[in-house]
Structure formats: structure tokens, C-alpha cells
Amino acid sequence: MEDLYNLSFAFALAAAFICLSNLFFIRVQDRMGKTQNTLFVLLLFVVAINGVCNTISAFLVPYKDTSDTALFVTEVTRYLYFIFHTALAPLFFYYVSHVCGVLFRSKASFKTYLSYIFLVVSELLALTNPLTGFVYYLDDNREFTRNWGEAVIYIASAYFLIMGLYYLTSTWRALTVKRRTGILMFAAITIAGVILQLIFSKLKIELFAEAIGLTGVMMIVENEDDRLDNETGLYNRQAFLMDLESYFLNKVALHAVCIRIITPDIISRKRGADNRELVEKKVAEFLESVHEKYNIYRIGRRTFVLLVFRKTDDEVYELAKSISDRFDRPWKLVDALVMLQSSIIVADIPKQLTTLSDAIYMFDTAKPSHEEEKTIIAGDDVNKILRGSAIEKSISNGLAEGKFEVYYQPTFTTDGRRLHGAEALVRLHDDELGMIYPDEFIPVAENMGLIDAIDDFVLLDVCNMIKEEKLYEGPVDCINVNLSVVQFMKPDFVEHINGIVEQIGVDKKLINFEVTESIYASSYEILSRKIEKLQVDGFLFSMDDYGTGYSNMRALASMDLDCIKIDKSILWEAEKNELGMIILESSVRMIRQMNKAILVEGVETEEQIKLLEKLGVDYLQGFYFSKPVPKDKFLEIVKKNSAQSSSD
Ligand code: C2E
Ligand code: CA
Ligand code: CA
């Protein structure tokens, strides 16, 4: 037994020694200084104090039965030991929750308050023990005896341990292997120490185990070398992704402020290779002066993100504004002053960015359209960018999953108001966003290079419908199909279109392609040749949106298009004012003189029809007759109209 006492003395001394050395090492290193680091220092401190206390009481064991002073000192160290040791479990819990990114970053929750209550109650019990003896007392034989307070402290510790492990597992995905191993290792070593001490109750090895465990944590978790960016000393992209993922997992509310330096490469080219790095260093330094260093990340070239906790939208905007204002003044690089331009995005997490991929898109790829005009993008502008991203996703998924659908809007003859055909208008159904209209997704699809696939899909659908439903036998003269500018420019465009229609076996006269005027503006010669070729093959062509955008008279005059579609805005203006009426009237007169068919779209009222009838417009399209409808609905309209026309 004597040996065990000596061993306990050695273990306690070693624990104190290890922790005090670790505290010294930390002092020497330049750590981030965030709460997590402070908590770790506290953990070391607590174990160090406990080690000192145990060293003293182990040393006094042989004397305490004979000397009252020795007994008194033993009691004092025991008391100190209890006060500090009681704080160990809560500290460990707060530490783990910080490593996992859970607590204190959002508004205090029920769990936070509960943890405070447990902490305060156990500490009060330990502190007041000399008066109450609730935790332990010495019995008549001067034997150490545990009381009910000890059980309460144990329950509190169990609570902290379980909650800590709970946060650890719920954040598992967002922790690097290193961090997981570090914390688990600490838990495992500590538990091993506790078990050993339970078995050999006189062997005080628990503290020594904790000290060794903390050393591991210091080397593995607290050492953040792999999270640091070499150039600026801020956190790097990897750290950003990990931290943000844990905030998402733990539903922490925060704001992200992304600062991108968008000044062209002129500086680096003009003033030597090191300047690029220097620019980033300067900006990093400035950011450190306005925000805590440990919440700043350099996520890419010239791109920084600040994570801001527990601030209102307005407060965060103010911060963004002050950063933006700094860019109105020059920056000093070695010997020269330069002006830098910034683009700042302020996003609310999780209100606006709900997933890590949202955030990556927002800060990496999103190119705000008004980058030049607005230096701070926040609120609704952020939502717009996100909507764009959602639509991009929807388009690429939609093609694979068959989420596109062709709607048909019937067209009618003015004279007799008989069914003439329909315009094929594409729709995109998204599980989350609902129906998306082409005005919104066609430009996006064009940018993504996916418009060909969509237009092909529409043409195929039209051809299949004509073939399967034998539309050529009924009142339908032609189905109008919109063509995108982009598709038109492809070298094998003519062969491609012919290929699709011939493969299904549809009379080309039944297809009327709508082309927008803006197409003609770019490369007129090539286009007119392509259109002519397709017309020779049998297709019909319409000029879409006449009267909007570039009014290219030359295109109108020298190309033999079959039909001109006057845009709805021209019709609506004509109703509103004299000048509009003159434009509509003279447009119609001019096109009639050119001997081309005229279709007016956007017809919504009986009065409009009367007007267009008087002017001599050939075809009408608009909500007055029908909105664009799904294929079945359109086929019903066809059926009704064939019955009518045969009974006429
Ligand atoms: P657009 O070619 O000018 O098509 C006419 C648009 O006006 C359609 O909008 C139609 O729903 C709407 N419209 C028709 N009549 C009325 C009316 O009486 N009142 C009102 N308020 N609106 C009316 P939609 O379907 O949203 O299409 C928008 C544009 O998207 C189209 O303009 C067209 O440029 C483009 N688009 C649609 N489908 C395709 C397609 O398959 N391929 C390509 N490349 N573009 C397409
Ligand atoms: Ca059209
Ligand atoms: Ca139009």
C-alpha cells in the first residue's frame, strides 16, 4: 500500500508538471485568442491546480493522522481540489461545443441555460461544503465520507459528458479526422484513468490521464497549422468549409460577409509578382482591424469571408459599409499607392443560404450582374442570385428527369376567328420552385449552353404531336416553334433541324419557326442564308417580337419571311395613346404592303380584336382566346374546332 501512495504522489506531481509546461508552451505560441483557446487554457489550469492539490495531500498522507497542521492542509487542498475538479466536466463540455461550433454563436438556448444551472449548482455545493458538508465530511474517525451533494455533482458531470458527446456526434461530419480523433482520444484516456482509479481506489491516476489527454488535444486540436493560410495568417478555405458545415449542422444563425477584390491584374503585372500577395496581405490586415481574426477566412484568390455572429442585419450591413468605404481610399504597397475595387456580398445564414453548396456558389461562382454599380450586395439582391443558382440546378436536373413540358397557345384567324395553329411555349416544372417560366430560365439556359437541348426537346414534342394526333388532317395550319439566337449560330444548324423533322416524318410546312429580330442584328448574312435554305426545304418562318429591341428594317425588307408577329407591347401601347396607335397602324400598313402575313400577340379584349380586324391583321394570339395550355388541353381545343369547322 505504501507503494501506491508513493505512486499517487508521483502521478499527481506529473499531472501538475505536464499541465504547467503545456500552459507555458501555449504562452510562447501565438494562438488565435478565441473563446475555444481560452477554454482550453482553463482546462489545463484546472488540471494543474488539481495536480498541485493532490501532490500536497499525497505528500501529507503519512503525517495527517499525527499532525493537526498536516490534517488542516490536507483538508484545504481537498477543498480546493473539489472546487476546481467540479468545473472540469462543464469546461470540457463548453470546450467541445466550441470545437463543434455549437454554443454561444447563436442566441442562448434552453440547453445553454440548463448547462449554466448545472454548473452553478455544483459549484455552489462544492464552495459551501465547509459550512454544509453536503458533498463530503469527515466522520468521527476522521474518515472521508461522501454525502448526497457528491451524487448531484456526478449527475451534472454525466450531463455535461453526454451533451458533449452528443454535440460531437451531431457535428461528426463537419469535423476533420484530426479533431475527432483528438477529442475522442482525450475522452478515452480520461475514462481509462477513471476506471483504473475505481479499481485501485488508492491509486490517484485520473488526473495524470487527463493531463496526458489534454496534451494530445493541444497537439491535435489546438494546433491549427493546417487551418491557416500561409500568405495572410488567416484561416484558409478548408477551415471555412469545415466551420461553416458545422454551423449548418448545428443550426447556428449568423451572417457571412464576402469581400472580393475585383481590381484587374494590372497591379500585379505592372509592379512585380509579389504585389498580388501584398494586396491580399494589406486587405487581410485591414479586415483584422475591423473584425475578430478568428472569424475571418481567406477562401480563395482575393476573396475573404467574415463570419459574424449575433448581429442584426443592419449592424452587419454597417460593417460591410465600413469595409466598402475603406476601398474608396488608396492602399499603400511598398512604395506606391493603389486603388482597389471591392465587391461585397452580405448573406444571412440560414435564412438565405441554407446549405454549404449555396454558400460555395454564392462566394465562388456567383457573378452579380450589377457588380459595377453596387459594391454591396445584400438582401433581395442575394435572393436573386440564389434564385439564378436554383434555376441552373433545375435546368440541368430537368433535362435528365423530364421536367420540361411544352405548352401550346392556340392562334386564330381574324377573319372568322377560326383555329389556325399554336405557338409551342416551353415550361419547366421544379419540385421546389413550382412552374418556372421561359422568360426566366431561357437566358440562364443560354448561358449554360443548354438551350439547344431545350429547343430540340420542344421541336421533337411538336413533331411527335403532329404525327401522333394527325394534326395535318384538322384545322391546324402550322405550329410555331421558337428558336434561340444561340442555336441558330451552330454550323450544322440546317442539317440538324432537317434531321429531327425528317426522322419523325412530319411535313415541314406544318412547322413555323419564330426568330427574334435581335438575331438579325449580329450576323445577318449567315442567318439569312440558313433561313432561306430551310424555307426551300419547306419550313415557314416568322419574325418574332416585331417592334421591340432593334427594329431592323433591312432584315424585314430583304428577307422573305412568311409572317411577322407584332409584339404585344405595340398593341397595348396603341390602346393607351395616339402615338402608339400611329406606330401600330403604320406597321401593319407597311407589312401588308410587303405582302407578308401579320400575327398580333397579346390579344386580351374584344375591343382589341375589333381594332385589329379593321386594320387587316391576319392572325391573332392571346389570352382572350386561350392562355398557353398543356398538350391535352390544346388537343381538346383542336377537336372542338374541327367539329365546328365540319359543321359550318
Ligand atoms: P414570345 O415568343 O413573345 O411568346 C409570347 C409570350 O407572351 C408567352 O409567354 C405567352 O404566354 C405570352 N402571351 C401570349 N398572349 C398573351 C396575352 O394575351 N397576354 C399576356 N400578358 N401575355 C401573353 P411565355 O410562354 O412566358 O414565353 C416567354 C418567352 O420565352 C417567349 O416570348 C419566347 O421568347 C421564349 N420561349 C418560350 N418557349 C420557348 C422555346 O421553346 N424556345 C425558345 N428558344 N424560347 C422560348
Ligand atoms: Ca415567340
Ligand atoms: Ca413576343
Side-chain angles (χ1 to χ4, degrees):
M1 271 299 131
E2 184 93 347
D3 286 349
L4 276 185
Y5 285 125
N6 289 338
L7 259 182
S8 295
F9 173 74
F11 276 133
L13 187 64
F17 208 72
I18 292 171
C19 288
L20 290 170
S21 318
N22 285 352
L23 282 169
F24 176 73
F25 291 143
I26 286 183
R27 192 82 199 88
V28 173
Q29 280 179 317
D30 186 20
R31 290 270 152 96
M32 278 281 185
K34 51 186 171 177
T35 318
Q36 176 191 318
N37 309 133
T38 314
L39 284 167
F40 183 75
V41 167
L42 279 177
L43 273 169
L44 279 178
F45 184 71
V46 163
V47 176
I49 297 267
N50 280 342
V52 171
C53 291
N54 277 6
T55 308
I56 296 172
S57 50
F59 176 76
L60 292 176
V61 166
Y63 313 105
K64 69 174 180 174
D65 288 334
T66 50
S67 150
D68 274 349
T69 324
L71 182 67
F72 177 73
V73 175
T74 304
E75 281 315 306
V76 170
T77 54
R78 197 204 303 279
Y79 174 57
L80 286 175
Y81 174 89
F82 260 85
I83 296 174
F84 281 94
H85 201 254
T86 305
L88 203 57
L91 274 178
F92 174 69
F93 162 75
Y94 292 132
Y95 178 72
V96 169
S97 60
H98 267 270
V99 173
C100 298
V102 188
L103 284 181
F104 312 112
R105 299 223 155 74
S106 44
K107 295 214 174 60
S109 66
F110 172 69
K111 280 184 208 137
T112 320
Y113 289 124
L114 195 61
S115 76
Y116 290 156
I117 291 175
F118 272 122
L119 172 64
V120 169
V121 168
S122 5
E123 276 303 333
L124 273 181
L125 279 172
L127 279 168
T128 57
N129 192 62
L131 302 175
T132 61
F134 286 158
V135 183
Y136 64 85
Y137 56 88
L138 293 190
D139 66 9
D140 300 340
N141 302 325
R142 289 183 166 188
E143 276 301 312
F144 172 79
T145 315
R146 292 168 201 278
N147 204 350
W148 58 268
E150 175 87 348
V152 174
I153 293 177
Y154 266 114
I155 290 170
S157 301
Y159 170 80
F160 285 119
L161 200 70
I162 290 167
M163 284 309 289
L165 290 177
Y166 164 72
Y167 284 145
L168 200 61
T169 43
S170 68
T171 317
W172 198 248
R173 237 175 350 118
L175 294 173
T176 52
V177 177
K178 250 181 64 172
R179 289 190 152 203
R180 294 173 189 170
T181 329
I183 304 239
L184 282 188
M185 195 198 71
F186 173 77
I189 294 180
T190 305
I191 289 170
V194 170
I195 290 175
L196 274 176
Q197 191 165 324
L198 273 179
I199 299 172
F200 310 103
S201 65
K202 294 270 174 329
L203 181 68
K204 300 260 183 286
I205 195 176
E206 182 191 331
L207 271 185
F208 179 71
E210 280 159 4
I212 294 289
L214 284 178
T215 308
V217 172
M218 184 174 85
M219 292 192 300
I220 297 178
V221 183
E222 287 290 296
N223 178 353
E224 298 194 296
D225 288 351
D226 58 336
R227 285 167 51 87
L228 292 179
D229 170 56
N230 293 334
E231 283 179 30
T232 58
L234 297 172
Y235 281 145
N236 59 22
R237 182 182 180 82
Q238 161 86 353
F240 173 71
L241 296 179
M242 283 292 177
D243 290 355
L244 203 57
E245 172 80 341
S246 73
Y247 299 142
F248 277 121
L249 282 176
N250 293 304
K251 302 191 174 57
V252 176
L254 66 142
H255 285 84
V257 180
C258 174
I259 297 114
R260 207 178 311 171
I261 310 168
I262 52 174
T263 311
D265 277 330
I266 300 171
I267 308 167
S268 43
R269 268 187 265 125
K270 206 166 67 181
R271 325 214 93 255
D274 281 352
N275 270 317
R276 187 187 63 78
E277 228 174 86
L278 205 60
V279 164
E280 305 212 26
K281 267 202 193 115
K282 280 279 163 193
V283 175
E285 258 168 41
F286 163 69
L287 292 176
E288 275 178 55
S289 75
V290 294
H291 199 58
E292 311 96 21
K293 182 178 183 185
Y294 49 85
N295 281 323
I296 310 178
Y297 303 78
R298 176 172 175 258
I299 63 162
R301 261 186 160 223
R302 298 177 171 200
T303 311
F304 301 88
V305 174
L306 316 187
L307 296 184
V308 187
F309 299 92
R310 307 174 78 165
K311 290 256 164 69
T312 64
D313 286 356
D314 289 342
E315 287 167 338
V316 178
Y317 193 87
E318 275 309 307
L319 173 66
K321 182 82 180 58
S322 68
I323 295 171
S324 169
D325 287 348
R326 174 62 187 88
F327 283 83
D328 291 340
R329 290 185 285 117
W331 304 75
K332 192 165 164 36
L333 305 183
V334 199
D335 53 350
L337 288 177
V338 294
M339 289 300 288
L340 300 174
Q341 213 184 333
S342 68
S343 159
I344 299 178
I345 302 173
V346 181
D348 184 310
I349 295 171
K351 260 189 230 140
Q352 293 180 311
L353 311 179
T354 50
T355 61
L356 195 59
S357 68
D358 273 357
I360 294 174
Y361 174 85
M362 199 68 209
F363 303 141
D364 276 3
T365 38
K367 287 270 178 307
S369 52
H370 26 239
E371 208 160 50
E372 277 97 73
E373 304 141 42
K374 287 192 193 171
T375 49
I376 302 180
I377 293 146
D380 262 357
D381 291 333
V382 170
N383 294 337
K384 263 183 224 145
I385 295 174
L386 284 171
R387 169 107 186 155
S389 130
I391 286 176
E392 272 185 16
K393 253 185 251 156
S394 191
I395 292 173
S396 34
N397 296 342
L399 277 168
E401 294 167 12
K403 295 285 168 83
F404 284 95
E405 185 183 356
V406 183
Y407 272 43
Y408 293 89
Q409 185 178 33
T411 55
F412 289 83
T413 62
T414 316
D415 145 43
R417 297 190 199 175
R418 277 167 313 163
L419 183 68
H420 164 62
E423 177 177 4
L425 293 160
V426 68
R427 301 288 182 258
L428 171 57
H429 299 283
D430 186 276
D431 296 339
E432 276 158 40
L433 306 174
M435 179 138 95
I436 309 173
Y437 285 86
D439 275 338
E440 197 174 9
F441 72 75
I442 297 272
V444 181
E446 284 181 346
N447 273 337
M448 294 170 76
L450 288 175
I451 188 69
D452 315 21
I454 297 174
D455 280 353
D456 285 359
F457 166 79
V458 174
L459 183 58
L460 264 171
D461 196 77
V462 168
C463 290
N464 281 323
M465 178 178 73
I466 294 176
K467 177 98 183 278
E468 282 161 20
E469 307 296 332
K470 300 199 170 73
L471 281 192
Y472 41 86
E473 289 177 352
V476 170
D477 292 331
C478 62
I479 302 288
N480 289 24
V481 176
N482 291 284
L483 283 180
S484 150
V485 193
V486 181
Q487 179 151 0
F488 234 92
M489 295 311 293
K490 293 184 83 177
D492 61 343
F493 176 69
V494 173
E495 295 75 22
H496 183 75
I497 295 287
N498 271 321
I500 293 179
V501 179
E502 282 164 14
Q503 176 204 330
I504 300 190
V506 165
D507 188 352
K508 293 172 186 172
K509 283 213 156 41
L510 290 163
I511 310 281
N512 188 330
F513 287 115
E514 296 190 2
V515 202
T516 3
E517 270 183 286
S518 59
I519 290 183
Y520 301 99
S522 51
S523 173
Y524 173 73
E525 297 300 331
I526 306 171
L527 290 163
S528 60
R529 235 184 303 132
K530 289 190 178 179
I531 290 178
E532 247 166 61
K533 264 194 199 162
L534 285 166
Q535 280 176 319
V536 170
D537 291 333
F539 292 105
L540 297 172
F541 271 84
S542 294
M543 178 189 285
D544 203 356
D545 294 337
Y546 174 86
T548 64
Y550 325 78
S551 253
N552 197 329
M553 287 298 157
R554 190 174 153 222
L556 193 60
S558 56
M559 202 144 23
D560 196 16
L561 297 176
D562 305 280
C563 180
I564 309 297
K565 287 187 79 169
I566 296 182
D567 193 72
K568 45 187 179 278
S569 61
I570 303 287
L571 170 66
W572 296 345
E573 274 309 301
E575 276 194 311
K576 274 193 234 154
N577 57 57
E578 188 82 8
L579 218 60
M581 184 62 90
I582 295 172
I583 293 174
L584 175 66
E585 276 176 1
S586 43
S587 295
V588 172
R589 195 178 321 121
M590 182 181 75
I591 300 167
R592 277 171 62 91
Q593 281 170 353
M594 290 175 176
N595 264 329
K596 295 176 195 299
I598 306 175
L599 183 151
V600 175
E601 63 170 23
V603 177
E604 292 181 346
T605 63
E606 184 72 41
E607 289 75 55
Q608 291 171 339
I609 300 180
K610 292 232 173 77
L611 167 69
L612 296 171
E613 216 166 9
K614 202 178 72 195
L615 293 179
V617 166
D618 306 276
Y619 306 110
L620 306 171
Q621 174 185 353
F623 291 179
Y624 176 84
F625 299 100
S626 166
K627 289 194 172 180
V629 290
K631 192 191 314 194
D632 324 345
K633 284 262 172 58
F634 172 63
L635 290 172
E636 275 171 31
I637 296 175
V638 173
K639 223 187 215 166
K640 226 167 64 194
N641 278 274
S642 17
Q644 249 170 30
S645 57
S646 52
S647 71
D648 277 353

